[in-house]
Amino acid sequence: MQILLVEDDRDLRRFLSKAFREEGYGVTETDSGDRALERALEGGFSCVVLDVMLPGRDGFSVVAELRQRGVATPVLLLTAKDELESRVRGLELRHKDATLQVGGVSLDPLSRRVTQDDRVIDLSPREFALLEFLMRNAGRTVSRSRIAEAVWNYKFDPETNVVDVYVNYLRKKLSFGGRTAPIKTVRGVGYRLEADSGE
């Protein structure tokens, strides 16, 4: 699981980053709203931990822009403000439907429920993380190294086939009733999840 951590207080950012890494999460750090928006739009994050008070573009405007552009990545807002108005504003910016949908596959990051054409699919935690990453990057080819870093939190070892093995696990679970899993192999590069059945 890859987290985008946005905090302009360097000491607090380092503390949070260390805590997340010790729990096994991958962390990408930045310290401004503008850079946070750029990185979040690139995709590949399971969650954004975002300070509200940032130089330039504040946390609220970052979330608003992400939602306007259709980015449904869950966002955890950090704020020292205790006013009810700030809490309400943050809640209003949450995407009403955080469920990811690609083709006939739906994934709810909060309930961790996956369905395909109304059929519930049972996935292991690693399979779920892999599918979530592919869905957040739907239509884009992602390399094996990016997948390994985002899902397993380690640098890709070209000698291992763990990514390919788990992609095959997903393909089997997403293939039923004559349907072909929408995960395409891009030879020599990696994989791409498409809305239309492929391969």
Side-chain angles (χ1 to χ4, degrees):
M1 182 176 180
Q2 194 74 16
I3 294 174
L4 176 60
L5 173 60
V6 190
E7 171 58 65
D8 62 323
D9 184 312
R10 185 175 61 178
D11 292 337
L12 178 56
R13 188 175 67 249
R14 287 178 175 176
F15 173 80
L16 291 171
S17 179
K18 182 174 182 292
F20 285 135
R21 293 180 192 279
E22 287 177 349
E23 291 298 320
Y25 297 108
V27 181
T28 297
E29 301 177 29
T30 190
D31 60 0
S32 77
D34 291 328
R35 281 191 287 272
L37 181 60
E38 291 175 6
R39 296 306 304 269
L41 288 173
E42 291 173 4
F45 296 102
S46 299
C47 177
V48 179
V49 178
L50 177 67
D51 186 18
V52 169
M53 302 301 292
L54 291 168
R57 185 189 295 267
D58 67 19
F60 289 131
S61 67
V62 172
V63 177
E65 183 70 18
L66 289 175
R67 298 312 184 229
Q68 184 177 347
R69 298 198 189 191
V71 178
T73 306
V75 177
L76 176 63
L77 293 171
L78 301 176
T79 177
K81 293 185 175 181
D82 196 32
E83 298 90 343
L84 178 60
E85 181 181 350
S86 293
R87 298 182 193 178
V88 171
R89 186 180 177 193
L91 288 172
E92 287 176 343
L93 287 170
R94 289 181 59 183
H95 199 279
K96 291 183 179 179
D97 184 7
T99 300
L100 303 174
Q101 295 186 333
V102 179
V105 180
S106 296
L107 181 150
D108 187 335
L110 300 179
S111 67
R112 301 190 69 80
R113 186 171 186 263
V114 177
T115 60
Q116 183 181 38
D117 298 333
D118 297 323
R119 176 183 70 113
V120 177
I121 301 175
D122 185 27
L123 299 180
S124 70
R126 198 70 73 181
E127 290 167 346
F128 185 93
L130 174 58
L131 180 60
E132 182 180 1
F133 178 76
L134 292 174
M135 292 183 76
R136 291 193 186 283
N137 290 277
R140 290 182 285 190
T141 299
V142 287
S143 66
R144 289 174 175 82
S145 59
R146 274 198 72 194
I147 293 173
E149 181 179 351
V151 178
W152 281 270
N153 297 327
Y154 63 62
K155 292 189 179 297
F156 182 66
D157 179 357
E159 298 298 321
T160 182
N161 66 342
V162 65
V163 172
D164 306 296
V165 168
Y166 272 83
V167 166
N168 285 331
Y169 289 162
L170 272 183
R171 279 181 169 150
K172 289 178 181 177
K173 292 187 177 183
L174 296 177
S175 301
F176 78 104
R179 175 186 286 273
T180 302
I183 304 174
K184 292 186 67 70
T185 300
V186 181
R187 299 193 183 282
V189 182
Y191 296 97
R192 181 174 66 248
L193 186 69
E194 298 189 336
D196 298 326
S197 296
E199 209 154 281

